[in-house]
Amino acid sequence: MSRPDWIALDWGTSRLRGWAMRRDGTVIEERSSDAGMGRLAPEDFETALRAMAGDWLDQGPVPIVACGMVGARQGWAEASYASVPCPPLSPALTRTPGELDVSIIPGLSQSDPADVMRGEETQIAGFLALNPGWDGVLCLPGSHSKWAHLSAGEVVSFRSFLTGELFAALSTHTVLRHSLANEGWDEVAFDAGVAETLSRPERLASALFSIRAEGLLQGRSGAVQRARLSGLLIGAELAAAKPYWLGQQIGVIGAGGLAGLYVRALAAQGAPATQANGTAATLAGLTAAWKQRTTA
Amino acid sequence: MSRPDWIALDWGTSRLRGWAMRRDGTVIEERSSDAGMGRLAPEDFETALRAMAGDWLDQGPVPIVACGMVGARQGWAEASYASVPCPPLSPALTRTPGELDVSIIPGLSQSDPADVMRGEETQIAGFLALNPGWDGVLCLPGSHSKWAHLSAGEVVSFRSFLTGELFAALSTHTVLRHSLANEGWDEVAFDAGVAETLSRPERLASALFSIRAEGLLQGRSGAVQRARLSGLLIGAELAAAKPYWLGQQIGVIGAGGLAGLYVRALAAQGAPATQANGTAATLAGLTAAWKQRTTA
């Protein structure tokens, strides 16, 4: 393989993904490993990177641009936050210690209400690179889903929601685990769950227990109840995020089924949303950061 | 020790508590063990009971009355639910298999909205036995806290909330674990959390993540954040339970600090509540069931 011009890294809590890149933005090769930031001590990052990308680095120094939790306080090198309102990509990248030429993209912070993101700023930058001049609201579903208001190339404000982690914790570590299947789905139950908490968000706390009670009394299937729990949580998020999305142009970033659920739930509220590929956005954002870096 | 006239058991998911009783309601001796229903197979219950109460049973058969999850489908013997509206104590107790004379108090169910309780019905009956003619709303905080509307000696309706389990799952199994202390408290943060979700319940989903962000950006202490999480969850429960407590006579059952938090949160809403001892209520309820049984 010829030597890459640069390497792009999406280094999150649970996974490391890397792309060997050409100067013109072509991907030479893509790899990933489970060496997420969550299982690494600061001194382990270089080893984990070499284990995944060793031969990409064999023919001499290659600049590397990384985004995600690799820049957290517990990561390889802390990349301090840029404070909104600001463009999603700060020009001030953080260099890691050691011999490799690794630059980490800073996350974004907001002081009031207090909020932070790491990694999503790169997807937002990539989405803007792919859709120049786009104004509106981006939704980035996930463990800690984000809603970001974009205007004139800047992130004006954003809010995070614990929705994904709440789903995981409820379905694994509470009495609801007895009532939920690991697989299966029911669109009617999902839609009803969304409608219930979107119109009456205060019902979430009791609706959660009702999943258990309905399982006991009405024999509702675990697949139906899994869809209902997802709907209740996404509905509660949409209720809280309504000032963001109401009457706005909406983009939902993510290739998978989860982003599709958000698009479906928004459509039911008469709020059409465009779904954008998450990996493409990440890569476009890393590319924008690399270009910005080399011209700085 | 003289032979007890009967034995009272509060057999929950995590603990077994027993009282050797005299006919006149006097407690001869109290014991407890960690042989909760959650760790027992159906064939293990008799052994667990004999391990705790062996010598109480040595001098011949003694009637035993039990409440709680011992009567669940996964318990010793399934005690089917009585359906509200009805008195808290159903006369139809369920006998366990085997040689011991054990009767289990049925739980209560509600068809719409679907809901169930097991164990709390005995506390409600006990509270009514200790406060004859009491009408109003009882709050029973816990892993699955309950609000029950009582009128003319019957449970008219009730609702359960996952608040306690939600607190445990969030503080143990999500990113919030990094931001919370295991101990310590802050009354101002608790009160502010209650006020926030009580007035704007839809904010819960974003307020949860803000605990993490405030920890990172503002260095708020883990004790403050622990109190804030508790306040946010209890505030959301009070918002959902408002149709229950608004303008009603309110009793909160529970001796410990958790019940005190509910009383404090209600007081801040101009809703004074009486706090009642939980163990006394349980024992009074078991006694009422034993009397009812012997006169049937």
Side-chain angles (χ1 to χ4, degrees):
Chain A
M1 190 181 103
S2 64
R3 173 179 162 190
D5 292 316
W6 66 288
I7 294 171
L9 299 180
D10 177 13
W11 208 327
T13 303
S14 53
R15 291 201 70 76
L16 164 61
R17 299 174 70 193
W19 296 266
M21 303 291 294
R22 286 206 202 292
R23 193 174 308 274
D24 64 5
T26 317
V27 175
I28 306 172
E29 192 181 353
E30 178 183 346
R31 292 182 190 164
S32 72
S33 88
D34 61 358
M37 163 272 189
R39 49 192 290 181
L40 299 176
E43 62 272 21
D44 299 332
F45 282 84
E46 184 170 333
T47 308
L49 177 52
R50 289 188 184 275
M52 187 192 73
D55 57 312
W56 295 350
L57 304 164
D58 277 351
Q59 301 164 56
V62 179
I64 301 171
V65 177
C67 70
M69 292 301 284
V70 64
R73 197 169 299 166
Q74 299 82 15
W76 192 351
E78 185 172 4
S80 57
Y81 299 104
S83 183
V84 297
C86 63
L89 281 187
S90 163
L93 306 191
T94 295
R95 281 292 301 264
T96 59
E99 289 183 10
L100 297 176
D101 174 13
V102 181
S103 303
I104 302 178
I105 300 172
L108 298 183
S109 69
Q110 176 175 277
S111 57
D112 187 23
D115 217 325
V116 291
M117 66 168 73
R118 274 200 196 278
E120 293 89 352
E121 75 294 326
T122 303
Q123 290 195 304
I124 294 170
F127 180 87
L128 284 177
L130 297 170
N131 302 276
W134 193 91
D135 279 359
V137 167
L138 281 186
C139 169
L140 302 97
S143 293
H144 307 148
S145 57
K146 315 280 180 189
W147 291 80
H149 177 206
L150 309 187
S151 179
E154 294 203 333
V155 177
V156 179
S157 68
F158 67 99
R159 289 286 6 222
S160 304
F161 298 83
L162 207 67
T163 309
E165 251 198 321
L166 206 47
F167 182 87
L170 284 166
S171 55
T172 312
H173 297 294
T174 73
V175 70
L176 300 192
R177 68 185 185 279
H178 303 302
S179 305
L180 300 176
N182 291 324
E183 295 182 359
W185 196 252
D186 184 280
E187 292 196 338
V188 174
F190 174 79
D191 292 345
V194 170
E196 182 171 347
T197 45
L198 216 164
S199 60
R200 303 287 299 273
E202 78 279 8
R203 290 198 181 169
L204 178 63
S206 61
L208 291 178
F209 188 82
S210 75
I211 289 176
R212 173 65 175 156
E214 287 162 2
L216 287 169
L217 298 179
Q218 300 167 359
R220 286 210 197 176
S221 84
V224 166
Q225 296 290 56
R226 181 164 170 269
R228 176 163 158 73
L229 174 61
S230 174
L232 289 168
L233 292 174
I234 289 176
E237 178 179 332
L238 291 186
K242 203 167 188 174
Y244 271 86
W245 55 261
L246 194 67
Q248 294 283 335
Q249 178 165 230
I250 309 170
V252 179
I253 294 187
L258 181 61
L261 293 179
Y262 279 76
V263 171
R264 180 184 176 88
L266 286 162
Q269 299 301 313
T274 306
Q275 193 172 345
N277 185 292
T279 301
T282 302
L283 205 45
L286 286 162
T287 302
W290 176 71
K291 285 182 185 166
Q292 195 178 63
R293 173 180 175 279
T294 52
T295 59
Chain B
M1 189 181 102
S2 64
R3 173 179 163 189
D5 292 316
W6 66 289
I7 295 172
L9 299 180
D10 176 12
W11 206 328
T13 302
S14 53
R15 290 201 70 77
L16 165 61
R17 299 174 70 193
W19 296 265
M21 303 291 295
R22 286 205 203 293
R23 193 175 308 275
D24 64 4
T26 317
V27 175
I28 306 171
E29 192 181 353
E30 179 183 345
R31 292 181 191 166
S32 70
S33 88
D34 60 359
M37 164 272 188
R39 50 192 289 183
L40 299 176
E43 62 271 22
D44 299 334
F45 282 84
E46 184 170 332
T47 307
L49 177 53
R50 288 188 186 276
M52 186 192 73
D55 57 312
W56 294 351
L57 304 163
D58 276 351
Q59 302 163 56
V62 179
I64 302 171
V65 178
C67 70
M69 292 300 284
V70 64
R73 197 169 299 168
Q74 297 83 14
W76 192 351
E78 185 173 3
S80 56
Y81 299 104
S83 184
V84 297
C86 64
L89 281 186
S90 162
L93 306 190
T94 294
R95 282 293 299 266
T96 58
E99 288 183 11
L100 297 176
D101 175 14
V102 180
S103 302
I104 302 178
I105 299 172
L108 298 183
S109 69
Q110 177 174 276
S111 56
D112 187 23
D115 217 326
V116 291
M117 67 168 71
R118 275 200 195 279
E120 292 90 351
E121 76 294 327
T122 302
Q123 290 195 304
I124 294 171
F127 180 87
L128 284 177
L130 297 169
N131 300 277
W134 194 89
D135 279 358
V137 166
L138 281 185
C139 169
L140 302 98
S143 294
H144 307 150
S145 58
K146 315 280 181 188
W147 290 80
H149 177 206
L150 309 187
S151 178
E154 294 202 333
V155 177
V156 179
S157 68
F158 66 99
R159 288 287 5 224
S160 302
F161 298 83
L162 207 67
T163 309
E165 252 198 319
L166 207 47
F167 182 88
L170 285 166
S171 55
T172 312
H173 298 292
T174 74
V175 70
L176 301 192
R177 68 185 184 278
H178 303 302
S179 305
L180 300 175
N182 291 323
E183 294 181 1
W185 197 252
D186 185 279
E187 291 195 339
V188 175
F190 173 79
D191 292 346
V194 170
E196 182 171 347
T197 46
L198 217 165
S199 60
R200 302 288 300 272
E202 77 280 7
R203 290 198 180 170
L204 177 63
S206 60
L208 292 178
F209 187 82
S210 75
I211 288 175
R212 173 65 175 155
E214 287 162 1
L216 287 169
L217 299 179
Q218 301 169 358
R220 285 211 198 174
S221 84
V224 166
Q225 295 291 56
R226 183 166 169 267
R228 175 162 158 74
L229 175 61
S230 174
L232 288 169
L233 293 174
I234 290 176
E237 178 179 331
L238 291 186
K242 203 166 188 174
Y244 271 86
W245 55 262
L246 194 67
Q248 294 283 334
Q249 178 164 232
I250 308 169
V252 179
I253 294 187
L258 181 61
L261 293 179
Y262 279 77
V263 171
R264 179 182 176 92
L266 285 162
Q269 299 301 313
T274 307
Q275 192 172 344
N277 184 292
T279 301
T282 301
L283 205 45
L286 286 161
T287 302
W290 175 72
K291 285 181 186 166
Q292 196 177 61
R293 173 180 175 280
T294 52
T295 58

